Each structure stands twice: as C-alpha cells, then as structure tokens.
Amino acid sequence: MDKSKIGKRFQGKVAIVTASTQGIGFAIAQRLGLEGASVVISSRKQKNVDEAAEKLRAQGIEVLALVCHVSNAEQRKNLIDKTVQKYGKIDTIVSNAATNPSVDSLLQTPESVLDKQWEVNVKASIVLLKDAVPYLSKGSSVVLISSIAGYNPPSALAMYGVTKTALFGLTKALAAEMAPNTRVNCVAPGFVPTHFASFLTNNEVMRNELEEKSMLKRLGTTEDMAAATAFLASDDASYITGETLVVAGGTPSRL
Ligand code: NAP
C-alpha cells in the first residue's frame, strides 16, 4: 500500500472493527487508522490482540485493543463500554467476524454447527449494534462484511454462504431501522488469500482457477477490501445506505 496516497477522512473519528487481528479485519483497522481514526481492534485471543495492536501503534495509529469473541455477550458489552469510556462516542462499526467450521452439505451439517454459524456470522452483528446504538454519533456508519458466496452458496460452503446471503437482507433491514442517524452498508469480498481462505488459496490448482474466474486475473488483497470498506464508512458515501458493494475483481456474483 502506498501510504502517501491515503487521505484523512477519519480524523477525529472512532472506529470499532471486529475480528481485526489479522486478514481483512486487520487491514480495515489499519486503513481507518492511517486515515486518522482511533481504532478499536479485537479478536478471541489476547496474544493476537496484543501483537496486532503493536503493529498498528508502530504505524502511529491510536489503538484500543480488547479480547472479544463476538458471540460472548459480556465481551461484546465490554468492547462497547471500554470504547465509550476511552473515546466518548462511536462513529464507525465494521462487523467482520465469521466462522466456517464445516464443509458438510446443508442436510448433513449438525444442528450445533448450524447454530454456531448463524450466531457468529449473523446474530452477533445485530446484538453488537444493539449495545452500540446509544453511543453512535449522528452521521455514523456500519459496514457488514459478507461474501460473494452469499449470492450463490457453494456446496462445500453451503451454510456459510447462506449466512452471508442473510447479511444482504440484514443490511437493508438495519439501514431502514437505523436511518437517518446511521448508514448501514455491506462489502462482499471475492477470494482473498488469508488464513480463513487458505484451504482454497494455498492449493495451486484451485488458486489458478480462482484467478482465472476473475476478470482481473488475480485474487483480491486485504487492502482492496479495506479500501472499499473505508469508502462506505466515510462521508464520501454519505448518500449511500442499504447497499452491498461487491469487491471481487469481476468474479461472477450478481448481475
Ligand atoms: P482471517 O484472516 O482468518 O482472520 C480472522 C480474524 O477473525 C482473526 O483476527 C481472528 O482472530 C478473528 N476471529 C475469528 N473468529 C472470531 C470470533 N468468533 N470473534 C472474534 N474474532 C474472531 O479471515 P478473513 O479472511 O480476513 O475473513 C474476515 C471476513 O471476511 C469474514 O467475515 C469472512 O467471511 C469474510 N470473507 C473472506 C474472504 C476471503 O477470501 N478471505 C472472502 C469473502 C468473505 P482470533 O483467532 O484471535 O479470534
């Protein structure tokens, strides 16, 4: 990333990014931080939280770093409370956490796994926003991270895909409910080589296939996803709400 080209759209703003100690969430926190935001990062493991915070602080970014498993109510409340105690308000929330514990077909997936995917990938965003609403500033924004898998759930990722489809609907419903104070939008990434996607992108044959499927003949980068998220979260998108932005290099998704 050429840091000299980055603006300062988030000066004086406070941004919470969930699941942000590596991959797409980390890149989003980094981008918002480089653009001037105080960023609140979190994930399940203290060690990951500490290491990510150190990397961001080394770039001059103001960081509050907390442990928060998004399906743990106490940790979610702590995330909001500590943010408000330290910074007094919330301007942006990026809900990025997801889990994909199963490659079973839908009808073979154990009920406990269906529940877990629903809980982490969909419900956690709703309950986190419920806690955050009293502190969201006028003109604030929310970005949900979905996936192009939501448009056409692949058989090996069926329930995961279905939860990502649900986020498209959730974006519309929350945008209506949270207007006019808060805008709610969604980013649907294509394939990005992260730990989460490594079972696809570390396999050379598969990787080549995915690159070929995209019009731009490459996988996405975490910075591509961060740039799109920062746009939607910023005032540059102040008349955009309830929308999903596909960031997939032209990989087939929707019309
Ligand atoms: P990643 O690189 O594997 O990073 C996942 C991050 O989430 C880590 O910081 C992890 O830290 C944290 N995390 C995992 N479960 C969590 C939970 N229950 N609560 C809080 N934090 C949690 O993953 P990624 O590829 O960046 O994925 C991020 C988002 O992008 C997900 O919503 C995913 O569905 C979406 N996405 C990814 C791709 C892709 O190709 N990579 C494509 C489409 C959509 P800890 O282990 O410390 O918790």
Side-chain angles (χ1 to χ4, degrees):
M1 185 186 351
D2 182 351
K3 288 181 190 161
S4 66
K5 288 194 183 148
I6 287 181
K8 285 285 172 197
R9 292 175 294 186
F10 292 90
Q11 206 79 58
K13 306 272 190 191
V14 178
I16 294 177
V17 185
T18 66
S20 44
T21 58
Q22 64 175 359
I24 293 170
F26 179 82
I28 293 169
Q30 174 175 255
R31 174 73 192 235
L32 300 179
L34 289 172
E35 289 213 40
S38 300
V39 290
V40 184
I41 62 161
S42 59
S43 76
R44 293 167 302 180
K45 300 188 193 103
Q46 184 73 55
K47 183 172 172 289
N48 295 346
V49 168
D50 293 342
E51 285 173 7
E54 206 174 301
K55 283 187 206 154
L56 294 173
R57 287 188 185 120
Q59 299 173 59
I61 294 169
E62 165 62 30
V63 181
L64 173 62
L66 298 163
V67 166
C68 178
H69 188 314
V70 294
S71 49
N72 180 318
E74 226 170 83
Q75 291 180 0
R76 278 195 315 266
K77 189 171 181 309
N78 185 53
L79 181 71
I80 301 297
D81 287 351
K82 291 273 163 58
T83 301
V84 174
Q85 274 165 27
K86 185 157 185 195
Y87 300 118
K89 61 165 182 170
I90 304 167
D91 300 297
T92 293
I93 297 185
V94 180
S95 187
N96 170 64
T99 183
N100 178 38
S102 161
V103 289
D104 292 331
S105 66
L106 269 181
L107 302 183
Q108 295 302 322
T109 306
E111 207 174 323
S112 60
V113 174
L114 296 176
D115 286 345
K116 185 177 175 187
Q117 285 183 296
W118 177 256
E119 173 135 1
V120 172
N121 298 5
V122 184
K123 194 178 105 180
S125 292
I126 304 170
V127 283
L128 178 70
L129 291 175
K130 191 174 169 183
D131 288 344
V133 148
Y135 311 106
L136 283 171
S137 62
K138 191 166 167 32
S140 53
S141 67
V142 170
V143 181
L144 307 179
I145 306 299
S146 178
S147 167
I148 57 167
Y151 287 108
N152 199 356
S155 52
L157 294 168
M159 183 57 191
Y160 168 80
V162 170
T163 62
K164 294 299 191 179
T165 313
L167 294 184
F168 302 146
L170 185 61
T171 301
K172 290 277 179 210
L174 285 172
E177 195 167 320
M178 296 176 81
N181 203 57
T182 303
R183 296 179 299 105
V184 183
N185 290 294
C186 178
V187 167
F191 296 96
V192 183
T194 61
H195 176 71
F196 187 80
S198 56
F199 72 105
L200 293 169
T201 56
N202 283 354
N203 174 320
E204 209 184 315
V205 176
M206 186 77 87
R207 189 188 167 105
N208 289 340
E209 256 177 46
L210 296 175
E211 286 171 349
E212 268 317 298
K213 264 200 216 168
S214 79
M215 291 180 191
L216 300 182
K217 303 299 173 207
R218 67 170 178 87
L219 299 181
T221 65
T222 58
E223 286 84 6
D224 292 328
M225 306 309 136
T229 306
F231 163 66
L232 286 174
S234 78
D235 289 345
D236 284 344
S238 59
Y239 199 50
I240 301 178
T241 195
E243 295 298 336
T244 295
L245 182 54
V246 174
V247 188
T251 303
S253 54
R254 60 166 151 77
L255 253 189

